[in-house]
Amino acid sequence: MQISRNNKLCNKQELKDKELKNEILTIRDEHKNYGTERLTIALKRAKSVVHRIVKKFSLQIIRKRKKLVKPGDVDFKATEHKDLVKNICPIVPGEIWATDFTYLKFQNKTYYLGTFIDIFSRKIQGWNLSDCHDTEFVLEALKRSINNAGQKPSICHSDQGSEYRGLVFQEVLETCGIQCSMSPKASPWRNGFQESFYAGFKNDLGDINRFNSVGELFEAIALTIKKYNSSRIHTALKMSPEQFLKNFYLNRKHTQVKAASGISLLEKVAS
């Protein structure tokens, strides 16, 4: 019995599709929430091909986004601080950090995770977990971020949460020589860098009720942030934040070497 050429081609294509499906599943063992765009980068394949396989084998990820509301930060007088980072794109790391915190419901208690992110590299510089969201909570996150980064930002951007517009936090920023930037009142979504991070972070962290203690939750948060910084592909960067920083410093060093060589050559010609 002869098998038609078309059937052979179909069988060959089916095998290729299954191989690509398995590659996708292997990647998702490590990064379970990679959608089509990140998979395309990781696999180095055409987006149309990856999209077809994801659709064919029902590998789509359904994301649920909750509307951002901070009830305690609605009825207050707006601060005079301006949004200094609107329409600004930093060209070097460490110039502009954004900060915010998110809520984590665990064992019938609410915990708060505060972070500082470098807008240039999208790297989480530092974080703090607490069962209360006061000034000390955000200041500890800032302290850890400065220690980890080995530098202070020129600008710190946040929403107009009470923790950030309070006198103590503002005095610390002023003492450190950090300019304060804030989103307009009742517009926390204007701090999109942090909101985008938290959306992906919670998906990667998964159901926290699987943990038996706050200690286990703490370790999972640390691991998730470490993976985000070191290996998780950021769609805007097309790589992880740490890889993006590594490439930046290598390129800058290469440029400096070329510039130094050019100056040396000019000096020889002049002499």
Side-chain angles (χ1 to χ4, degrees):
M1 181 177 179
Q2 292 184 338
I3 299 176
S4 70
R5 187 168 182 270
N6 285 340
N7 283 340
K8 287 183 178 180
L9 290 174
C10 287
N11 290 337
K12 188 175 181 180
Q13 184 61 54
E14 186 65 24
L15 286 174
K16 287 184 177 180
D17 288 353
K18 288 181 178 179
E19 286 177 0
L20 186 51
K21 171 195 171 185
N22 290 334
E23 289 182 47
I24 289 173
L25 293 177
T26 298
I27 290 173
R28 282 194 175 162
D29 283 341
E30 180 71 17
H31 302 284
K32 61 183 179 180
N33 286 294
Y34 267 20
T36 300
E37 192 164 351
R38 288 187 175 90
L39 288 171
T40 298
I41 297 169
L43 292 165
K44 298 180 180 179
R45 302 289 293 269
K47 188 174 182 178
S48 58
V49 174
V50 176
H51 177 75
R52 180 178 64 80
I53 298 301
V54 167
K55 186 176 181 180
K56 177 178 179 179
F57 293 102
S58 300
L59 301 176
Q60 299 94 333
I61 294 175
I62 299 175
R63 306 186 190 279
K64 295 181 180 180
R65 295 288 180 91
K66 293 182 179 180
K67 185 177 180 181
L68 180 65
V69 178
K70 290 186 177 180
D73 292 324
V74 176
D75 298 324
F76 65 90
K77 182 180 178 180
T79 71
E80 296 179 356
H81 295 290
K82 305 298 182 181
D83 186 345
L84 303 178
V85 303
K86 183 180 180 181
N87 301 323
I88 289 181
C89 182
I91 59 174
V92 292
E95 285 295 306
I96 305 174
W97 290 359
T99 183
D100 200 357
F101 67 88
T102 192
Y103 305 83
L104 297 172
K105 298 281 188 180
F106 178 65
Q107 294 184 348
N108 299 317
K109 189 173 182 179
T110 301
Y111 291 88
Y112 306 91
L113 174 67
T115 55
F116 282 80
I117 188 171
D118 173 39
I119 293 181
F120 174 77
S121 66
R122 303 301 202 274
K123 181 179 179 179
I124 296 298
Q125 304 287 32
W127 57 279
N128 186 27
L129 182 70
S130 176
D131 58 0
C132 61
H133 58 100
D134 53 12
T135 303
E136 290 301 319
F137 161 65
V138 295
L139 283 178
E140 181 61 26
L142 175 61
K143 177 183 175 182
R144 293 178 183 179
S145 299
I146 292 173
N147 288 339
N148 292 339
Q151 68 176 106
K152 303 168 188 174
S154 298
I155 298 174
C156 177
H157 181 76
S158 70
D159 60 26
Q160 293 197 26
S162 57
E163 301 80 12
Y164 305 111
R165 68 176 189 271
L167 181 61
V168 175
F169 186 76
Q170 290 300 317
E171 286 181 343
V172 170
L173 291 185
E174 185 176 354
T175 301
C176 292
I178 302 172
Q179 286 183 278
C180 177
S181 170
M182 285 188 166
S183 303
K185 177 183 175 180
S187 303
W189 55 86
R190 290 277 290 271
N191 191 2
F193 302 102
Q194 281 283 21
E195 301 310 327
S196 177
F197 164 72
Y198 284 135
F201 166 81
K202 287 186 175 181
N203 283 329
D204 290 340
L205 184 62
D207 181 12
I208 62 177
N209 290 313
R210 70 184 189 277
F211 303 121
N212 296 315
S213 66
V214 177
E216 288 185 7
L217 173 61
F218 186 93
E219 288 182 7
I221 290 172
L223 179 60
T224 303
I225 291 178
K226 182 180 179 181
K227 281 186 177 181
Y228 166 84
N229 280 336
S230 63
S231 62
R232 188 179 189 272
I233 294 173
H234 193 291
T235 51
L237 307 176
K238 310 303 180 187
M239 61 189 73
S240 71
E242 289 185 355
Q243 184 61 52
F244 185 76
L245 280 172
K246 182 179 179 180
N247 291 352
F248 169 79
Y249 287 119
L250 284 174
N251 290 335
R252 188 167 72 172
K253 183 178 180 180
H254 180 67
T255 302
Q256 290 171 342
V257 170
K258 287 182 66 177
S261 299
I263 292 172
S264 178
L265 181 61
L266 287 173
E267 288 175 346
K268 287 182 180 179
V269 171
S271 62

